């Protein structure tokens, strides 16, 4: 028998993110064998009984529920994982905190700053371990970028730019609402590309480059009305299809961010570039194992962009995987986050980003939407001097 402590998981939501999280729980001890905890797939919850029962059988959950309140009330659940649409995050998280459960929540934290504040207050009052699934931090190349920046190799930072481009909502025939397209329904999502895609960019940016202090934004909704998937009625679209904003960081650098679901030819183009006094780095999700690096201090005859394939055992997380030269993928970021969360339970340190960290990202999201609506610069209110620490990497 294993001498590891059990962490009994209750998953709420069995869609795309439910699959990615579950895969992380199932594989983490295979590749991080020194961890003291072992996830146990105790129960999964969704409203559709047939769907959730099939999910439980496919993925190996011991049981299932159709009411998330029943799942939270169970004594055999230690940690609640929220993989539901954004409009349910606050209610579920606050109830789970009151029940003393650990909580792992999908991003964005909430639909609004008010919801996010209530969630943070509930979590911190309960004192329960918590994290938010901003998984792109756990891509080894992005974590390596964090280490390079923190080492001072780039020198003073001047520019940070990022984009996240998709093209799946261009057709006006795509509905809003319902199981598959709730991200287009403002009541369920809270916002469009700002909360769905730019939230990732903002979280990563503030982790790498520090707090964003103010923003100036433009948003656009290209298709003004869509049929609602559940009612069948045509309704006004309330989410943003595209967003561009520029900003100041606390360290004095400038930021430029763009996101859209109307960039034909792009399914998930997420790139970032940082320009410093001495050096620059850039990264592309489509080649996620590679980090590009330019150092002006190199001899002029060999100076140029170098391509770093992040697969060696002394690079973040990679000593848990294959041999140098063999790559990993998107799904591994969730395994890394599970590993970091389990390690945090042993160390007593928080597993970043916590709800408090994600609330700082929520402040920027709110400022972006307010700026676009009022056509004005908006202060974010992000706490200054607060370091969003590195992931708990290479822990086992």
């Amino acid at each position: 028998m294993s001498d590891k402590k059990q962490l009994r998981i209750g998953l709420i939501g069995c869609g795309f993110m439910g699959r990615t999280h579950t895969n992380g729980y199932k594989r983490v001890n295979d590749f991080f064998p020194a961890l003291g905890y072992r996830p146990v797939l105790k129960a999964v919850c969704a409203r559709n009984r047939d769907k959730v029962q099939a999910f439980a059988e496919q993925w190996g959950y011991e049981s299932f529920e159709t009411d998330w309140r029943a799942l939270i009330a169970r004594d055999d659940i230690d940690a609640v994982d929220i993989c539901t649409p954004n409009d349910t995050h606050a209610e579920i998280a606050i109830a789970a905190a009151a029940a003393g459960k650990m909580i792992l929540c999908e991003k964005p934290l909430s639909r609004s700053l008010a919801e996010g504040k209530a969630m943070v207050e509930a979590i911190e009052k309960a004192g329960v371990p918590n994290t938010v699934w901003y998984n792109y931090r756990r891509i080894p190349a992005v974590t390596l970028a964090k280490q390079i920046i923190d080492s001072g190799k780039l020198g003073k930072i001047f520019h940070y730019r990022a984009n996240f481009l998709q093209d799946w909502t261009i057709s006006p025939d795509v509905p809003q609402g319902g199981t598959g397209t709730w991200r287009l329904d403002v009541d369920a999502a809270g916002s469009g590309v700002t909360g769905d895609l730019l939230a990732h960019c903002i979280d990563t940016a503030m982790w790498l480059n520090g707090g964003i202090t103010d923003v100036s934004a433009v948003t656009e909704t290209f298709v003004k009305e869509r049929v609602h998937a559940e009612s069948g009625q045509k309704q006004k679209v309330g989410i943003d299809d595209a967003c561009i904003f520029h900003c100041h960081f606390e360290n004095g650098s400038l930021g430029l961010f763009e996101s859209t679901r109307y960039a034909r030819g792009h399914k998930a183009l997420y790139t970032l570039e940082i320009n410093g006094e001495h050096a620059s780095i850039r990264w592309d999700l489509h080649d996620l194992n590679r980090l590009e690096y330019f150092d002006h201090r190199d001899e002029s005859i060999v100076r140029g962009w170098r391509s770093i394939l992040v697969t060696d055992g002394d690079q973040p997380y990679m000593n848990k995987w294959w041999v140098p030269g063999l790559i990993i993928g998107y799904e591994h970021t969730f395994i890394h986050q599970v590993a970091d969360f389990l390690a945090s339970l042993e160390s007593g340190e928080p597993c970043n980003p916590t709800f408090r960290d994600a609330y700082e990202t929520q402040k920027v999201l709110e400022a972006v939407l307010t700026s676009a609506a009022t056509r004005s610069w908006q202060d974010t209110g992000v706490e200054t001097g607060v370091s969003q620490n590195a992931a708990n990497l290479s822990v086992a």
Side-chain angles (χ1 to χ4, degrees):
M1 293 289 293
S2 172
D3 60 356
K4 296 182 182 297
K5 298 177 183 178
Q6 291 189 355
L7 183 70
R8 299 168 297 180
I9 303 294
L11 181 79
I12 303 178
C14 61
F16 166 47
M17 299 319 301
R19 294 166 60 207
T20 63
H21 294 194
T22 301
N23 182 66
Y25 296 129
K26 290 171 72 74
R27 302 312 306 273
V28 65
N29 291 124
D30 295 335
F31 292 95
F32 291 78
L35 287 166
Y37 280 83
R38 176 173 64 88
V40 175
L41 304 181
K42 208 68 181 177
V44 58
C45 178
R47 288 175 295 182
N48 184 303
R49 181 183 180 88
D50 291 340
K51 182 178 179 180
V52 72
Q53 182 174 7
F55 187 94
E57 292 173 355
Q58 177 182 349
W59 287 94
Y61 281 86
E62 296 179 12
S63 60
F64 65 90
E65 301 280 357
T66 56
D67 183 344
W68 61 262
R69 295 171 183 83
L71 182 142
I72 288 175
R74 288 174 51 161
D75 293 333
D76 61 348
I77 299 296
D78 300 313
V80 172
D81 188 347
I82 304 170
C83 295
T84 55
N86 304 343
D87 59 329
T88 59
H89 287 187
E91 186 179 12
I92 295 173
I94 291 169
K101 309 296 185 183
M102 306 177 198
I103 306 175
L104 305 93
C105 184
E106 250 307 315
K107 49 62 61 185
L109 179 66
S110 57
R111 292 178 298 175
S112 69
L113 205 54
E115 280 186 347
K117 182 180 181 181
M119 294 167 75
V120 171
E121 289 174 348
I123 286 282
E124 294 184 347
K125 179 181 178 181
V128 293
N130 60 93
T131 194
V132 177
W133 294 85
Y134 279 111
N135 60 298
Y136 291 114
R137 292 186 181 205
R138 266 75 185 190
I139 292 174
V142 176
T143 307
L144 179 59
K146 169 71 170 172
Q147 294 178 348
I148 291 172
I149 294 165
D150 288 351
S151 75
K153 285 184 172 64
L154 271 60
K156 178 179 174 59
I157 306 299
F158 298 122
H159 295 285
Y160 189 107
R161 62 185 64 85
N163 60 20
F164 207 139
L165 312 181
Q166 296 181 338
D167 72 353
W168 65 278
T169 65
I170 291 178
S171 171
D173 296 329
V174 175
Q176 61 178 320
T179 302
T181 49
W182 62 265
R183 288 177 175 83
L184 303 188
D185 183 344
V186 69
D187 292 334
S191 66
V193 296
T194 300
D196 187 30
L197 303 180
L198 282 177
H200 274 301
C201 301
I202 293 165
D203 172 79
T204 305
M206 292 206 293
W207 183 53
L208 295 176
N209 196 42
I212 293 173
T213 59
D214 59 0
V215 301
S216 177
V218 175
T219 61
E220 184 57 70
T221 302
F222 295 111
V223 175
K224 309 299 184 184
E225 292 184 326
R226 292 183 186 273
V227 171
H228 198 280
E230 293 180 339
S231 70
Q233 301 299 310
K234 183 169 284 191
Q235 298 179 4
K236 180 181 177 181
V237 175
I239 57 96
D240 46 298
D241 290 328
C243 178
I244 301 171
F245 77 89
H246 52 183
C247 65
H248 293 97
F249 285 85
E250 183 184 349
N251 63 10
S253 60
L254 300 181
L256 179 62
F257 294 77
E258 178 190 11
S259 187
T260 181
R261 295 186 180 129
Y262 282 69
R264 183 65 81 191
H266 293 299
K267 305 304 178 185
L269 178 68
Y270 174 19
T271 68
L272 64 86
E273 180 171 331
I274 307 172
N275 306 128
E277 175 187 7
H278 303 303
S280 295
I281 53 177
R282 62 190 181 198
W283 172 82
D284 183 343
L285 176 61
H286 287 171
D287 194 7
L288 61 82
N289 293 274
R290 195 175 302 278
L291 184 67
E292 293 186 278
Y293 178 76
F294 176 93
D295 197 322
H296 184 70
R297 292 163 296 192
D298 291 341
E299 292 182 71
S300 61
I301 59 172
V302 294
R303 187 184 298 141
W305 283 94
R306 70 185 73 167
S307 178
I308 305 168
L309 184 63
V310 185
T311 59
D312 283 2
D314 58 352
Q315 293 168 323
Y317 297 106
M318 293 309 302
N319 63 340
K320 301 301 186 291
W321 297 105
W322 319 121
V323 298
L326 300 184
I327 63 176
I328 62 173
Y330 169 79
E331 70 276 18
H332 297 81
T333 64
F334 297 95
I335 300 173
H336 295 162
Q337 185 141 1
V338 174
D340 287 343
F341 186 75
L342 298 181
S344 75
L345 300 182
E346 296 180 57
S347 70
E349 296 295 321
C351 180
N352 299 307
T354 62
F355 274 42
R356 172 64 66 177
D357 296 328
Y359 181 61
E360 297 302 302
T361 296
Q362 206 68 40
K363 290 179 181 179
V364 180
L365 296 176
E366 190 112 335
V368 165
L369 294 172
T370 301
S371 171
T374 60
R375 300 192 175 205
S376 64
W377 277 92
Q378 291 290 315
D379 291 335
T380 64
V382 167
E383 291 187 35
T384 59
V386 176
S387 172
Q388 298 204 40
N389 297 321
N392 313 63
L393 55 95
S394 301
V395 294

